[in-house]
């Protein structure tokens, strides 16, 4: 069932949280961004390795990209290398997260007119070639605190799975919202001794009205091992939450990738 979504699933605003020490000594306020339920505009570019591709060359290429001076509207960026057995629409991608589609379009226009950016594209093409012209856009939200299970590893690595989903007959936005609330409740009540490391999930609503999927369900884990552990825990203990999600939506086989942080404006190692 294909429907058009207004991305307001849980209708909670994003917050800027300011906290100070109880000490009498002057303290710099600490500001943290709560991304939960804030709608971002995320784009994926399909990429292919060039003749000089290797991990060191890729790391140097991404670092030089960050050094160009990126748009303030860019909220984050990640790379994915597929470990799924079959080629598909979600293999080997570069993801960009923006504050809005309008901000993304403006940043791309400026990027393509920038001489240093054009030179970087030419220099990096022997390492990695990405199809920026045909990038895919999505409205994206984190329906659950992405830091509830801790931060990603210090080296920026993680594992990701992306599942294409369609709503079942008679199901709509409210039913999906209710199912995700129940999933969030399941996450709240997980026995912490049964999990290890980072986990977050996000929902991608395609910008393309002709898309055959209603949304993509993205799961992000510390690594592939903890992903398997999490999947086993869900199968064993998902209970009512699992049943409700399966009543509301049908998801296809996930595309599984090793992920890497390319850009994080809050982390000096990746900004």
């Amino acid at each position: 069932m294909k429907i058009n979504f207004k991305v307001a699933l849980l209708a909670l605003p994003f917050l800027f949280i300011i906290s100070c020490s109880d000490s009498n000594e002057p303290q710099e306020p600490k500001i943290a961004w709560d991304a939960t339920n804030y709608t971002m505009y995320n784009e994926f570019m399909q990429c292919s390795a060039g003749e000089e591709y290797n991990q060191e060359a890729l790391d140097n290429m991404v670092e030089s990209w960050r050094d160009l001076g990126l748009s303030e509207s860019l909220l984050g960026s990640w790379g994915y290398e597929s470990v799924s057995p079959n080629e598909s629409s979600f293999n080997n991608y570069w993801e960009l997260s923006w504050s809005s589609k309008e901000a993304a379009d403006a940043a791309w226009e400026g990027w393509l007119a920038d001489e240093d950016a054009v030179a970087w594209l030419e220099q990096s093409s022997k390492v990695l070639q990405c199809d920026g012209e045909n990038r895919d856009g999505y409205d994206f939200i984190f329906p659950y605190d992405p830091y509830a299970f801790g931060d990603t590893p210090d080296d920026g690595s993680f594992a990701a799975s992306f599942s294409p989903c369609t709503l079942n007959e008679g199901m709509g936005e409210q039913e999906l919202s209710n199912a995700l609330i129940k999933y969030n409740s399941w996450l709240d009540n997980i026995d912490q001794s049964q999990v290890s490391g980072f986990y977050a999930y996000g929902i991608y609503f395609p910008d393309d009205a002709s898309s055959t999927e209603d949304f993509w369900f993205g799961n992000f884990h510390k690594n592939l091992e903890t992903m398997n552990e999490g999947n086993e825990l869900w199968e064993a203990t998902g209970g009512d939450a699992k049943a409700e999600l399966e009543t509301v939506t049908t998801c296809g086989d996930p595309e599984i990738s090793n992920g890497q942080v390319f850009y994080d404006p809050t982390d000096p190692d990746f900004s």
Side-chain angles (χ1 to χ4, degrees), residues 236-257:
T237 69
D240 291 343
K242 186 172 183 293
E244 182 157 350
L245 270 173
E246 291 175 349
T247 297
V248 172
T249 184
T250 299
C251 296
D253 292 336
E255 297 298 335
I256 301 172
S257 299

Side-chain angles (χ1 to χ4, degrees), residues 71-215:
S71 168
E72 293 183 357
S73 299
L74 184 61
L75 305 178
S77 181
W78 306 267
Y80 301 97
E81 184 174 8
S82 175
V83 295
S84 292
N86 300 316
E87 291 294 322
S88 78
S89 61
F90 252 95
N91 282 356
N92 305 317
Y93 265 72
W94 187 324
E95 181 179 12
L96 301 161
S97 183
W98 305 93
S99 57
S100 68
K101 184 181 188 305
E102 293 74 19
D105 291 342
W108 274 102
E109 184 177 356
W111 169 263
L112 295 174
D114 185 281
E115 292 181 359
D116 291 336
V118 172
W120 177 87
L121 286 170
E122 294 177 356
Q123 294 166 3
S124 64
S125 62
K126 292 183 179 180
V127 178
L128 194 70
Q129 300 171 10
C130 296
D131 187 0
E133 182 177 355
N134 295 306
R135 59 194 184 275
D136 297 317
Y138 300 83
D139 287 327
F140 173 80
I141 59 169
F142 286 116
Y144 191 80
D145 178 8
Y147 304 109
F149 293 89
D151 293 328
T152 54
D154 291 341
D155 64 359
S157 65
F158 61 99
S161 70
F162 298 96
S163 298
C165 302
T166 56
L167 291 172
N168 295 330
E169 189 65 32
M171 299 297 167
E173 182 177 340
Q174 187 58 55
E175 288 79 12
L176 178 59
S177 177
N178 292 340
L180 293 178
I181 289 172
K182 187 159 287 190
Y183 180 59
N184 290 349
S185 179
W186 177 78
L187 291 173
D188 285 338
N189 291 284
I190 283 178
D191 182 348
Q192 292 297 319
S193 67
Q194 295 182 282
V195 298
S196 56
F198 164 78
Y199 170 74
Y201 82 95
I203 307 295
Y204 295 82
F205 298 101
D207 187 43
D208 183 358
S210 66
S211 173
T212 57
E213 301 85 18
D214 285 316
F215 63 94

Side-chain angles (χ1 to χ4, degrees), residues 8 51 59 76-77 103 134 167 217 227 248 256 262-266:
E51 58 192 39
D59 292 343
S77 181
N134 295 306
L167 291 172
F217 198 115
M227 176 186 289
V248 172
I256 301 172
F262 280 177
Y263 175 65
D264 179 351
T266 69

